Amino acid sequence: MSLRSKVLALLEVFLRVPPLFVVDEFLKISLGLPVSSGEEVLVLSNVTVDHVDVPESDGNYYDANFYNAFFFTFFKFVVCCLGCMSSLCVFVLYTKHLIIVYLYIISLGIVFISYWVNVSAIKQIQTLTQAVASAQPSASILEDILNLNVKNLLDLDGPGFLVIQNFVMQYSLSYLFKNVHLGPHHQTIQKMLPLSFMAPSFLAMLPVPPSFLHHSPVFSTLLPLFLINYVLWYSAYTIVQVIYTGYQHGRLFVSNYGLSALVETEWMRLNVPCVLRVFWVLRVAEQAILLLVDNYEDDTEEALKVSTLLAVQSLASMAKSLLVTGCETITAVLGMTSVISFFCHYIGNFFQWILLTDEEEDKSIGTVSAILFYILALQTGLTSLNPEKRFIRLCRNFCLLFTALLHFLHNIVNPILMSLSASHNPSTHRHVRALGVCAFLILFPLSLLVYLWSQHSVSTWLLAVSAFSIEVVVKVVVSLMIYSLFLIDAYRSTFWEQLDDYVYYIRAFGNTIEFCFGIFLFFNGAWILLFESGGAIRAVMMCIHAYFNIWCEARAGWSVFMKRRTAVNKINSLREASSDQLNQLDDVCAICYQEMHSAKITRCNHYFHGVCLRKWLYVQDRCPLCHDILYKIENDPKDNNSEAGNEENSNNQNLLLEEEPDLLPGDGVR
């Protein structure tokens, strides 16, 4: 991407940030809805209308006040909602339409700035003129200009200097307005604009009545306001047409490709993550500047000579305040989520660089972390807490996010470990890198647990963090044990038949531990929901956890266990090959191409390793060589149709096993 393209992309991002600030301001005031404090609730709770005699006239007065307050609150809420919707509509505009909107807003802002500058200047000029006239009755600004009295004109405390200053300011504003306004650029109108802006300054030099001079700033805004209103009315049809075209485009896109495709396309077009990051950084920078200004105004000469410790404490307090204010609204939480996603993405890239891998699936760590943090923020009601509780909750959410990040890192290193051990990779530095990451994934959560349990009392949050940390340690230990078994098998000269059983038992142990932790976390969440902080989002997340992490995992684990047990029974029903038969055969297993020191003989008189044949039975019940039935079920004399029943049973088992053709016996209870 060229430098010009990068600059344009950055400019487009900055153009979409102001609508988010508008929405954020509306959310700060809770969309105009009143927020009652605890004291107000206490006062209201002490008032009982049943025991107070209210005259009829007073009752009507209170009813009228209540009606007016309700109407005013409802009006504010509607205005705030319309403001939020308008800001979001501006946010999703295309760049060319967005530029037009900003040009219109800038031109309107210039008119108001010109008006207030003229009002302020006229008031000061009138005050100074009266003071000068009382001392020198014959003096005036026009005479000083005609007589070229430079001394009076350049006097900083004189009215002449204010007039010149206002001239320069108004001419600059008129020049800027001429270039940004969207009205008709006729030559006559363009020439009249500077005169309109500078008219109050001209009138201030003439002996006009004070009342007329006082109202002159209003008349100076008539021409630019006419141009602005003309643009608004002239573009009304175009605005409606753009909105309708956007609606038609979205509707057609959804009907052809689906809602998810539309969201993904617009997400990429608007560059939402980058916009949210810039919004949050600017918002935090604004809060930091305000805090620094407040601290600077409160500091004295003695306070400036603080020690380094006090300076560090001040920085820590400032960082805490910025974190608290950085998640006080939904838009602020979205911005913080985007920043966290950015850092998590580069953390994942760092570990990928260490492990010398570049898998595309592992690059989603930033997206998954962002979703998890945002769900935690909504689930814990982060924006509705007071500042102190919000900071504590934010730190706890960060701890949960860090433990989840460790699980993501294990998902990156685990397939690399299995690949290095199973492929007999001789690259020592790759083994060392992978083992170093595993050591980090064991030591860091253990250190975190030691610190948390030494600094905090037992709570549901601490139990949840502990469960996640212990779970990641168990998963890493299981991966290292399987990695060690594969390495041992790589240096063996003979086929290791028990390897598959050992791998299955280790994985079954790890998956059983994870399943138990899933049940524990469900009950822990249920306790929080019932006795600490309930909510619809937490209830929904618990239902999702119960279905996917408990019910689906238990069903899948039981299915694998039953299929493995069925396969073992089938293998045990086959004859074991003797040493003489193996010596006479003098061949390798047709499945793994390894030498056979022990084997099973099928009904079709073919020889295979028992372990290899068991793996094959996870795919189908027929011989890999001749496709005959591998095992024979004893006929039941009481069944008249035993042969047909056996054939039907075999077909049903084939259909059942073909549902998961990639399942291997070492996959564990999952």
Side-chain angles (χ1 to χ4, degrees), residues 484-543:
S484 303
L485 291 177
F486 284 159
L487 281 183
I488 294 172
D489 180 64
Y491 288 99
R492 285 174 60 93
S493 58
T494 58
F495 182 72
W496 191 4
E497 287 195 40
Q498 291 79 17
L499 174 62
D500 181 73
D501 293 329
Y502 294 153
V503 171
Y504 173 78
Y505 295 143
I506 292 173
R507 286 181 175 172
F509 168 76
N511 293 332
T512 304
I513 296 296
E514 293 178 33
F515 181 73
C516 293
F517 275 122
I519 296 176
F520 170 77
L521 290 172
F522 175 79
F523 285 109
N524 187 67
W527 180 274
I528 297 175
L529 179 66
L530 295 176
F531 301 105
E532 293 185 8
S533 60
I537 298 178
R538 185 181 294 277
V540 171
M541 295 306 299
M542 282 190 58
C543 293

Side-chain angles (χ1 to χ4, degrees), residues 306-348:
V306 295
S307 62
T308 305
L309 180 59
L310 293 178
V312 172
Q313 291 178 352
S314 178
L315 289 176
S317 176
M318 181 177 177
K320 176 182 176 180
S321 178
L322 293 178
L323 285 175
V324 169
T325 56
C327 57
E328 61 182 346
T329 61
I330 294 295
T331 50
V333 172
L334 285 172
M336 180 179 286
T337 301
S338 183
V339 173
I340 291 173
S341 173
F342 179 78
F343 283 108
C344 290
H345 171 74
Y346 280 99
I347 290 174

Side-chain angles (χ1 to χ4, degrees), residues 24-181:
D24 188 65
E25 290 299 324
F26 283 122
L27 292 178
K28 281 184 180 179
I29 60 175
S30 302
L31 296 178
L33 296 176
V35 180
S36 60
S37 63
E39 296 179 358
E40 294 173 349
V41 174
L42 181 61
V43 171
L44 292 174
S45 64
N46 291 332
V47 178
T48 56
V49 182
D50 296 336
H51 297 83
V52 179
D53 296 330
V54 181
E56 184 177 356
S57 58
D58 293 342
N60 294 333
Y61 172 77
Y62 291 146
D63 291 341
N65 280 346
F66 175 78
Y67 174 77
N68 293 333
F70 175 78
F71 178 77
F72 181 69
T73 302
F74 179 75
F75 178 75
K76 285 199 302 181
F77 176 73
V78 172
V79 170
C80 291
C81 290
L82 291 176
C84 288
M85 292 177 62
S86 303
S87 301
L88 293 178
C89 289
V90 172
F91 178 79
V92 300
L93 288 175
Y94 285 94
T95 306
K96 60 179 182 179
H97 298 137
L98 194 62
I99 293 175
I100 292 174
V101 171
Y102 278 119
L103 289 177
Y104 182 82
I105 294 175
I106 290 173
S107 62
L108 184 62
I110 290 173
V111 174
F112 280 99
I113 292 174
S114 172
Y115 170 76
W116 289 113
V117 169
N118 274 327
V119 168
S120 177
I122 293 300
K123 286 183 178 179
Q124 295 183 19
I125 290 172
Q126 286 182 327
T127 302
L128 294 176
T129 302
Q130 291 176 0
V132 172
S134 61
Q136 301 178 359
S138 60
S140 66
I141 300 175
L142 184 60
E143 291 182 358
D144 291 337
I145 294 176
L146 295 176
N147 295 329
L148 298 178
N149 193 347
V150 179
K151 181 179 179 181
N152 291 340
L153 293 175
L154 297 181
D155 186 8
L156 298 179
D157 296 330
F161 182 78
L162 284 177
V163 171
I164 296 174
Q165 185 180 8
N166 196 45
F167 262 122
V168 175
M169 178 67 70
Q170 295 299 327
Y171 181 79
S172 302
L173 292 174
S174 65
Y175 180 80
L176 185 60
F177 183 83
K178 285 196 304 181
N179 289 277
V180 301
H181 81 89

Side-chain angles (χ1 to χ4, degrees), residues 287-512:
Q287 296 292 332
I289 292 173
L290 293 177
L291 289 175
L292 289 175
V293 170
D294 292 340
N295 292 336
Y296 180 78
E297 291 177 353
D298 295 337
D299 285 342
T300 59
E301 294 183 0
E302 296 180 358
L304 292 175
K305 300 178 181 179
V306 295
S307 62
T308 305
L309 180 59
L310 293 178
V312 172
Q313 291 178 352
S314 178
L315 289 176
S317 176
M318 181 177 177
K320 176 182 176 180
S321 178
L322 293 178
L323 285 175
V324 169
T325 56
C327 57
E328 61 182 346
T329 61
I330 294 295
T331 50
V333 172
L334 285 172
M336 180 179 286
T337 301
S338 183
V339 173
I340 291 173
S341 173
F342 179 78
F343 283 108
C344 290
H345 171 74
Y346 280 99
I347 290 174
N349 286 349
F350 173 73
F351 279 94
Q352 282 187 321
W353 173 75
I354 292 178
L355 297 170
L356 301 177
T357 181
D358 193 22
E359 294 291 335
E360 290 295 330
E361 295 181 357
D362 297 334
K363 293 184 178 180
S364 62
I365 184 172
T367 304
V368 177
S369 301
I371 294 174
L372 177 59
F373 178 80
Y374 191 68
I375 290 176
L376 286 173
L378 294 180
Q379 183 174 290
T380 55
L382 197 62
T383 58
S384 61
L385 300 175
N386 60 57
E388 191 63 33
K389 291 184 178 180
R390 187 186 306 155
F391 179 74
I392 296 174
R393 177 53 61 185
L394 186 64
C395 294
R396 292 181 175 181
N397 288 352
F398 279 140
C399 284
L400 290 171
L401 180 64
F402 290 154
T403 54
L405 192 63
L406 297 178
H407 285 266
F408 301 149
L409 296 179
H410 171 262
N411 293 336
I412 296 176
V413 73
N414 182 59
I416 296 176
L417 277 177
M418 300 302 104
S419 175
L420 291 174
S421 58
S423 62
H424 306 166
N425 194 316
S427 180
T428 306
H429 72 281
R430 296 203 63 183
H431 288 266
V432 172
R433 288 170 181 261
L435 293 176
V437 173
C438 290
F440 168 77
L441 293 178
I442 293 176
L443 296 177
F444 181 78
L446 292 178
S447 303
L448 180 64
L449 285 180
V450 171
Y451 171 76
L452 292 178
W453 281 91
S454 61
Q455 299 294 327
H456 300 275
S457 59
V458 180
S459 62
T460 52
W461 160 78
L462 185 58
L463 292 176
V465 173
S466 303
F468 280 120
S469 301
I470 296 174
E471 186 178 356
V472 74
V473 172
V474 171
K475 291 170 70 173
V476 174
V477 171
V478 168
S479 298
L480 290 176
M481 292 176 68
I482 297 176
Y483 165 80
S484 303
L485 291 177
F486 284 159
L487 281 183
I488 294 172
D489 180 64
Y491 288 99
R492 285 174 60 93
S493 58
T494 58
F495 182 72
W496 191 4
E497 287 195 40
Q498 291 79 17
L499 174 62
D500 181 73
D501 293 329
Y502 294 153
V503 171
Y504 173 78
Y505 295 143
I506 292 173
R507 286 181 175 172
F509 168 76
N511 293 332
T512 304

Side-chain angles (χ1 to χ4, degrees), residues 155-270:
D155 186 8
L156 298 179
D157 296 330
F161 182 78
L162 284 177
V163 171
I164 296 174
Q165 185 180 8
N166 196 45
F167 262 122
V168 175
M169 178 67 70
Q170 295 299 327
Y171 181 79
S172 302
L173 292 174
S174 65
Y175 180 80
L176 185 60
F177 183 83
K178 285 196 304 181
N179 289 277
V180 301
H181 81 89
L182 302 173
H185 286 70
H186 295 297
Q187 187 174 4
T188 304
I189 295 178
Q190 294 292 89
K191 290 181 178 179
M192 290 177 61
L193 281 174
L195 296 177
S196 176
F197 276 83
M198 295 185 295
S201 299
F202 283 116
L203 295 176
M205 297 184 301
L206 301 176
V208 295
S211 59
F212 182 77
L213 185 63
H214 178 73
H215 292 93
S216 61
V218 177
F219 295 102
S220 69
T221 60
L222 293 179
L223 179 60
L225 284 179
F226 170 77
L227 293 175
I228 291 173
N229 290 327
Y230 173 80
V231 170
L232 183 62
W233 287 105
Y234 180 79
S235 305
Y237 176 75
T238 306
I239 295 172
V240 175
Q241 188 177 15
V242 169
I243 296 174
Y244 181 73
T245 303
Y247 168 74
Q248 288 292 101
H249 170 73
R251 181 181 176 184
L252 183 63
F253 199 97
V254 170
S255 62
N256 291 332
Y257 304 102
L259 180 61
S260 60
L262 175 64
V263 173
E264 183 178 358
T265 303
E266 293 300 307
W267 186 274
M268 296 176 63
R269 178 181 71 85
L270 300 174

